[in-house]
């Protein structure tokens, strides 16, 4: 960044966020809605993510040490009751797919000592692998624990010849010592934006989706462009009375939408729809 | 006194380092010729092709548009290396050059039914995403610059080379130096904009 450019574009580079109407008139703001009522905890999203984003399967031992590389994981919560003694509590488990929340005020971005993670104009938290030095500060600062570190040189272990042929060429194969995270399938977004740009239009609603949303058998995950008010995602955000730039949502009791750890003021881009449960029974 | 000189020396060497680091990406053609033993020169690996393809004849003398052979440049991320039948489509019918050694070689591959194993010259690292389509659409189709100029930004004047070689740095600083410039949005306007400044546009 040259000094003249810095001075000239100071107002656009000195980003203040989030604020109401931040993405008004902008082309894209990628966001997601996950309906927990529809989620069956089948793990299809995780599998799809492994295939799409070249995630290494680390093996049992590393998994036990907490070194698994799943960018989207299914968290399981047992309901009320004595789940320590019962193998299958009466109400069953609740599932919650946890992936990078693409926060508008991301705690991970501000602590990176080398600027390997930053905010894109589309509202994503980007991670630039070749810039990352592996300080792991971002992971320590992430309240959702959705950043994953390459403790080993996985490519040779995870994809012995000829398995490397199934790797996605549009996604970097990460090497030892770098941090990685969910990208909202940025390779797909880039491709869709490129196609739209050549045709002199914007990406249409439903034209592009993430691998997890695509694989979900119950369509629990909805992905789209929040800057487009007519998109499915924007309508769902509106219906559930969630505002991107506020940390306390003023909404009715009748709507199910919420964002995780909103009080930490991370302003996530993912809205979860609460599971409907009959607590009386 | 001794310390003083030492300090001066350190500063001088530091400045020399900074100077050379700044100058390197924009080094003129002089350094290209000097090749080290491991097959690299100042701009990267030196690539030996299976035989010498004369770009200077096709693009230079004949004035064939680059996209006649590199078909995908306008509609895909990669420009594409033409298939052998693209060569043969013309060369089957051009009697006058059939005895030339390079054309004989071409026919050899054709008779063996084997593709010519061309090597990649402008090879970027795997973590970089470069899109030909975006650049061709902008500069050739919208801004109506000549194809020689459009492709020449990154590939140099290929019409004066035989086999293509790297003449530009293709480093990040070199890309950014152009992305920061103001470019016309199309041929019939004075409105300008510059290239994207976001990491994820090019890094993946």
């Amino acid at each position: 960044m040259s000094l003249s450019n810095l001075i000239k574009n100071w107002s656009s580079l000195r980003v203040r966020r989030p604020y109401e109407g931040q993405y008004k008139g902008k082309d894209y703001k990628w966001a997601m809605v996950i309906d927990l009522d529809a989620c069956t905890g089948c793990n299809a999203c995780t599998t799809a993510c492994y295939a799409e984003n070249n995630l290494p399967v680390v093996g049992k031992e590393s998994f036990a040490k907490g070194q698994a590389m799943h960018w989207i994981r299914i968290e399981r919560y047992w309901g009320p009751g004595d789940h320590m003694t019962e193998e299958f509590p009466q109400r069953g488990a609740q599932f919650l797919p946890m992936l990078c929340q693409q926060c508008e005020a991301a705690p991970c971005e501000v602590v990176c000592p080398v600027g390997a993670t930053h905010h894109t104009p589309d509202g994503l938290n980007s991670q630039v692998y070749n810039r990352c030095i592996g300080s792991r500060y971002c992971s320590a600062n992430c309240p959702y624990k959705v950043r994953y570190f390459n403790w080993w040189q996985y490519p040779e272990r995870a994809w012995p010849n000829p398995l490397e042929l199934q790797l996605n060429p549009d996604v970097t194969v990460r090497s030892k010592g770098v941090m990685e995270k969910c990208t909202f399938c940025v390779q797909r977004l880039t491709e869709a934006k490129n196609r739209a740009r050549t045709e002199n239009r914007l990406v249409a609603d439903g034209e592009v989706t993430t691998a997890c949303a695509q694989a979900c058998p119950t369509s629990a995950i909805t992905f789209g462009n929040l800057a487009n008010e007519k998109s499915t995602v924007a309508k769902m955000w509106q219906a559930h009375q969630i505002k991107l730039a506020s940390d306390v949502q003023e909404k009715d009791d009748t709507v199910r939408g919420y964002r995780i750890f909103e009080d930490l003021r991370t302003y996530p881009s993912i809205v979860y729809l609460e599971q409907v449960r009959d607590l009386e029974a | 006194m001794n310390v003083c000189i030492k300090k001066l020396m350190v500063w001088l060497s530091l400045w020399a380092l900074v100077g050379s680091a700044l100058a390197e990406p924009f080094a003129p053609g002089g350094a290209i010729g000097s090749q080290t033993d491991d097959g690299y020169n100042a701009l990267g690996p030196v690539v030996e092709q299976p035989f010498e393809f004369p770009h200077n004849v096709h693009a230079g003398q004949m004035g064939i548009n680059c996209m006649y052979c590199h078909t995908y440049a306008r509609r895909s991320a990669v420009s594409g290396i033409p298939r052998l039948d693209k060569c043969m489509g013309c060369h089957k019918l051009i009697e006058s050059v059939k005895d030339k050694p390079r054309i004989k070689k071409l026919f050899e591959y054709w008779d063996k039914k084997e593709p010519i194993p061309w090597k990649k010259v402008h090879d970027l690292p795997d973590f970089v995403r470069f899109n030909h389509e975006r650049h061709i659409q902008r500069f050739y189709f919208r801004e109506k610059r000549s194809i020689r100029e459009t492709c020449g930004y990154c590939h140099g004047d290929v019409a004066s080379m035989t086999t293509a070689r790297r003449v530009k740095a293709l480093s990040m600083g070199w890309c950014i130096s152009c992305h920061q410039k103001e470019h016309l949005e199309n041929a019939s306007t004075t409105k300008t904009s510059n290239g994207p400044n976001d990491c994820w546009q090019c890094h993946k």
Side-chain angles (χ1 to χ4, degrees):
Chain A
M1 175 110 1
S2 69
L3 191 64
S4 58
N5 190 36
L6 195 69
I7 294 164
K8 203 180 108 201
N9 300 316
W10 180 249
S11 58
S12 65
L13 293 166
R14 177 104 181 85
V15 203
R16 175 174 71 94
R17 63 169 192 271
Y19 56 91
E20 209 48 62
Q22 186 183 348
Y23 287 98
K24 201 154 196 170
K26 297 278 171 64
D27 291 345
Y28 305 107
K29 157 68 195 167
W30 304 111
M32 197 178 256
V33 175
I34 301 179
D35 189 349
L36 298 182
D37 212 20
C39 178
T40 60
C42 73
N43 272 306
C45 49
T46 314
T47 313
C49 188
Y50 268 81
E52 173 75 21
N53 291 307
N54 299 341
L55 303 186
V57 177
V58 295
K60 238 180 181 175
E61 260 177 50
S62 294
F63 197 100
K65 287 180 194 158
Q67 295 172 359
M69 305 294 285
H70 41 212
W71 287 0
I72 177 169
R73 59 173 190 259
I74 301 290
E75 289 185 350
R76 186 188 59 187
Y77 298 100
W78 292 115
D82 197 358
H83 56 265
M84 298 302 280
T85 51
E86 293 170 76
E87 196 185 351
F88 301 109
Q90 222 171 5
R91 289 183 205 285
Q94 277 180 293
F95 303 106
L96 186 138
M98 176 51 80
L99 63 157
C100 175
Q101 306 287 309
Q102 314 286 356
C103 310
E104 271 303 307
C108 55
E109 284 171 10
V110 287
V111 295
C112 181
V114 293
T117 174
H118 83 141
H119 216 70
T120 73
D122 305 350
L124 302 177
N125 307 131
S126 69
Q127 174 72 22
V128 182
Y129 307 119
N130 56 311
R131 199 172 177 110
C132 177
I133 55 164
S135 74
R136 315 200 304 280
Y137 200 167
C138 53
S139 172
N141 219 29
C142 175
Y144 307 96
K145 290 287 161 278
V146 284
R147 286 180 154 268
Y148 301 93
F149 187 67
N150 284 275
W151 291 97
W152 305 95
Q153 182 70 23
Y154 288 113
E156 290 82 25
R157 291 163 44 140
W159 305 287
N161 188 284
L163 283 181
E164 82 275 6
L165 295 172
Q166 53 101 41
L167 292 170
N168 185 351
D170 295 332
V171 182
T172 310
V173 176
R174 282 80 57 183
S175 52
K176 183 176 173 176
V178 301
M179 192 57 80
E180 58 183 66
K181 65 180 276 291
C182 163
T183 62
F184 264 5
C185 287
V186 70
Q187 67 280 5
R188 293 178 174 211
L189 305 182
T190 311
E191 170 56 35
K193 281 196 290 185
N194 174 45
R195 213 180 315 128
R197 193 94 189 265
T198 304
E199 292 167 17
N200 222 345
R201 59 178 175 87
L202 290 181
V203 175
D205 190 31
E207 188 180 342
V208 62
T209 190
T210 58
C212 52
Q214 191 186 359
C216 182
T218 56
S219 305
I221 305 175
T222 315
F223 178 80
N225 179 10
L226 201 61
N228 172 9
E229 283 172 15
K230 288 173 186 155
S231 69
T232 321
V233 158
K235 280 180 186 163
M236 284 173 96
W237 276 55
Q238 236 160 37
H240 289 275
Q241 300 168 11
I242 304 286
K243 287 197 181 101
L244 184 69
S246 61
D247 54 341
V248 181
Q249 306 292 347
E250 292 155 7
K251 56 187 182 90
D252 314 336
D253 293 341
T254 51
V255 292
R256 299 188 286 134
Y258 71 96
R259 295 192 293 182
I260 295 177
F261 292 159
E262 214 157 25
D263 48 336
L264 296 179
R265 295 189 180 165
T266 52
Y267 306 95
S269 300
I270 301 182
V271 165
Y272 287 86
L273 306 187
E274 212 175 317
Q275 192 177 16
V276 180
R277 308 202 99 195
D278 184 5
L279 294 172
E280 301 299 317
Chain B
M1 184 63 196
N2 218 350
V3 179
C4 230
I5 289 173
K6 252 188 190 168
K7 267 190 180 168
L8 190 71
M9 291 287 277
V10 167
W11 273 108
L12 275 177
S13 55
L14 264 177
W15 278 112
L17 264 177
V18 169
S20 61
L22 282 176
E24 197 218 15
F26 309 104
I32 297 164
S34 53
Q35 187 182 335
T36 54
D37 296 336
D38 54 354
Y40 278 77
N41 67 17
L43 294 172
V46 177
V47 176
E48 290 294 329
Q49 300 290 3
F51 65 89
E52 196 180 45
F53 176 84
H55 277 100
N56 54 354
V57 175
H58 292 83
Q61 284 171 32
M62 307 291 169
I64 300 170
N65 192 309
C66 305
M67 290 189 291
Y68 182 76
C69 302
H70 301 285
T71 332
Y72 310 117
R74 61 178 174 275
R75 54 191 162 99
S76 152
V78 291
S79 63
I81 299 295
R83 302 183 312 200
L84 186 51
D85 67 334
K86 192 91 174 188
C87 310
M88 296 306 290
C90 295
H91 275 283
K92 260 186 176 173
L93 305 171
I94 307 174
E95 293 292 335
S96 57
V97 292
K98 265 191 177 165
D99 316 326
K100 301 250 172 111
R102 290 189 293 223
I103 308 297
K104 275 188 179 162
K105 200 109 187 223
L106 184 72
F107 274 85
E108 260 173 47
Y109 279 105
W110 180 251
D111 293 335
K112 279 192 286 184
K113 296 190 175 178
E114 269 178 25
I116 307 168
W118 299 115
K119 303 263 173 54
K120 204 169 179 180
V121 179
H122 296 86
D123 197 11
L124 293 175
D126 285 349
F127 49 79
V128 178
R129 172 195 290 132
F130 174 83
N131 197 319
H132 278 88
E133 183 185 358
R134 288 268 58 78
H135 293 85
I136 299 286
Q137 289 290 343
R138 175 70 180 265
F139 296 112
Y140 184 68
F141 289 106
R142 298 213 176 131
E143 225 178 278
K144 310 267 187 244
R145 298 199 190 204
S146 76
I147 194 77
R148 247 175 115 159
E149 192 189 349
T150 308
C151 302
Y153 283 141
C154 309
H155 295 287
D157 192 16
V158 180
S160 66
M161 304 175 192
T162 51
T163 45
R165 8 169 252 281
R166 270 169 84 148
V167 291
K168 299 293 173 82
L170 306 185
S171 62
M172 184 171 137
W174 177 79
C175 293
I176 296 284
S177 72
C178 197
H179 272 223
Q180 286 190 339
K181 279 183 201 146
E182 294 291 332
H183 299 286
L184 288 176
E185 296 211 330
N186 58 55
S188 54
T189 181
T190 49
K191 210 179 152 203
T192 59
S193 59
N194 38 26
N197 196 21
D198 163 36
C199 305
W200 258 359
Q201 285 292 336
C202 316
H203 287 288
K204 55 182 185 182

